[in-house]
Amino acid sequence: MNKTGVTLLGSTGSIGVNTLDVIARHPDRFRVEVLAAHSSVEKMAEQVRRFSPRLAVLFDQGAARRLEQMNLGVKVAHGMDGLLEAAGWPDTQLVVSGMVGAVGLRPTYLALELGRRVALANKETLVLAGEAMVAAAQKSGAVMLPVDSEHNAIFQCLAGSPRRFVERLHLTASGGPFRDLPLERFGEITLAQALAHPNWKMGPKITIDSATMMNKGLEVMEARWLFGVPPENIQVFIHRESIVHSMVEYTDGSVIAQLGVPDMRTPIAYCLGWPDRLAMDTPRLDLAQMGSLRFQPVDPAKYPCLGLAVAALTRGGGAPAVLNGANEVVVAAYLEGRFHFSRIAGILTQVMEGLAQEVSRPQAPPFLTQISGVDDALAADQWGRQAATGLLPG
Ligand SMILES: NC(=O)c1ccc[n+]([C@@H]2O[C@H](COP(=O)([O-])OP(=O)(O)OC[C@H]3O[C@@H](n4cnc5c(N)ncnc54)[C@H](OP(=O)(O)O)[C@@H]3O)[C@@H](O)[C@H]2O)c1
C-alpha cells in the first residue's frame, strides 16, 4: 500500500500529539512529511527525531533558529511562509490543520485550494471564513474531514444519506465544569476550576471556551458551513457523559447518532483513515456498564456566550470573525489571571454591541458586513481583537 504523506500543522499541541499517536500505530499507512508548530523547540526536536519529517516549521523565528542549530538533518522554516510551505508541501496528500487560532486560515485555505485532503481541527478556519473555505474546496475538489468530535460524528451520521433529507443537526455539549454550579455561585469560579474539563483533555483556550460554551457556539458556526444547515436547524443540548458525540435528524423522523468513549484519537483516526477505518485499541464503550445517558436543555443565563455566537452567525458578514477575534483576546487575558471568569461574556457582549453600532454607520468598513475572502475574514478578526483589547480591565 502507498503511504499517505501527512503535513501536521500544530504538531506539538493536543490535536497534534494525538494525531502522531494514531500515526505511530500505523507506520505502514502514513509517512510524516512536515511538522509545524509555534515555538515549542524541545517538543518539536523530539518529534523530528521520532518521525523524521522532511520539513519542520516553527512560526517563531528565534525558535526555528534554535531548532536548526540542533542539526537534526531536517529542513527548518519559520513564519507564515514556512506554514504555507508546509501546507503546500508537494509530497503531502493529507494536511491536518491542528493549530490554534486565526493563524490557521491561510495555510488551510492553501491546502484546500491545492485540492489536498484536509483534516480540520482548527475551528477558526470555518468560523472566520467558512463560506470561502467551502468554495475553495468545491472548486478544487478537496475533501474536508472534520476532526472536532461533534462534526466528525455528524459527518459519520451523514454517510450514505443525501443531504436533502436532513432536517436538523443535534450538537451535544458536555456543559463543561460548571454545568452543576448554580448561576448564583458563578462568582466563586477559579481559573483552575475553569481549566478542569470533566470529560476531555484539551488545550487551555478551548477548555475555557468549553466552560463558557463559546466553544459550542463556534461549533454551531462550523456546522453551518460544513453541512450547509441554517443556524435555526442546529440544536444544542447538554449531554454530560460526552458519549453521544452528535446526531442527525432526518425528514422521516429518524435520528442517527455516533457514540464512543471521549477520546480525540477516535475522530482523528477516522479522518486519517477515511474512507477506511483504522484499527485502534483505544478504550471501548460499555453502555451496559454506564447504565444511563442523560440529556438536558442549555440554560441561556448560565451560558450567554452560546447565545452571542448564534446571534453573530445569524447576523452574518464579519460578525462571527469579530466575535471569535474578541474571544481569543479575552480568553488569553483571562488565562493570565487578569479578571474573573464571569466577566468574559460581559466584555464580549460590549464588543458585539459596538459592532452593531459600527455597521449602522455609512462609513463602516465593508468587511464587517460582507466577508469576500480570507483577507476580509482576518480584517474582521482584527477589528474584534482591537475592540476587545480596548475593553479589557486594567
Ligand atoms: N484539543 C482538542 O481536543 C480539540 C478538539 C476539537 C477542536 N480543537 C481545535 O483544534 C485546534 C488546536 O487545539 P489544541 O487543543 O490542540 O490546541 P493546543 O494544545 O493549544 O495546541 C496548539 C498548537 O498550535 C500551535 N501553534 C499556535 N500558534 C501557532 C503559530 N502561530 N504557528 C504555528 N503553530 C502554532 C502550537 O505550537 P506551540 O506548542 O509551539 O505553541 C501547538 O502545536 C483549535 O482550533 C481547537 O479549537 C481541539
Side-chain angles (χ1 to χ4, degrees), residues 10 12-15 37-40 59 98-99 121 123-124 148 203 264:
T12 55
S14 163
I15 291 290
H38 179 262
S39 52
S40 300
F59 188 83
M99 295 185 293
K123 54 186 63 196
E124 293 79 5
D148 220 343
M264 281 311 291

Side-chain angles (χ1 to χ4, degrees), residues 73 86 191 199 269 279:
L191 177 55
N199 302 2

Side-chain angles (χ1 to χ4, degrees), residues 201-212:
K201 205 175 165 317
M202 306 180 288
K205 194 267 176 181
I206 188 174
T207 303
I208 299 303
D209 284 349
S210 293
T212 62

Side-chain angles (χ1 to χ4, degrees), residues 285-357:
L285 183 58
D286 184 343
L287 284 174
Q289 175 82 26
M290 291 204 68
S292 65
L293 297 175
R294 289 160 293 174
F295 303 92
Q296 67 190 78
V298 178
D299 175 356
K302 278 178 73 171
Y303 300 104
C305 287
L306 175 60
L308 280 174
V310 174
L313 179 61
T314 307
R315 175 183 271 277
V322 166
L323 181 63
N324 182 72
N327 183 56
E328 282 197 21
V329 167
V330 174
V331 171
Y334 171 66
L335 284 168
E336 286 168 12
R338 290 176 57 184
F339 47 83
H340 188 263
F341 180 82
S342 50
R343 301 226 24 205
I344 294 175
I347 302 171
L348 294 174
T349 303
Q350 277 180 275
V351 171
M352 297 316 279
E353 286 169 354
L355 171 69
Q357 274 177 10

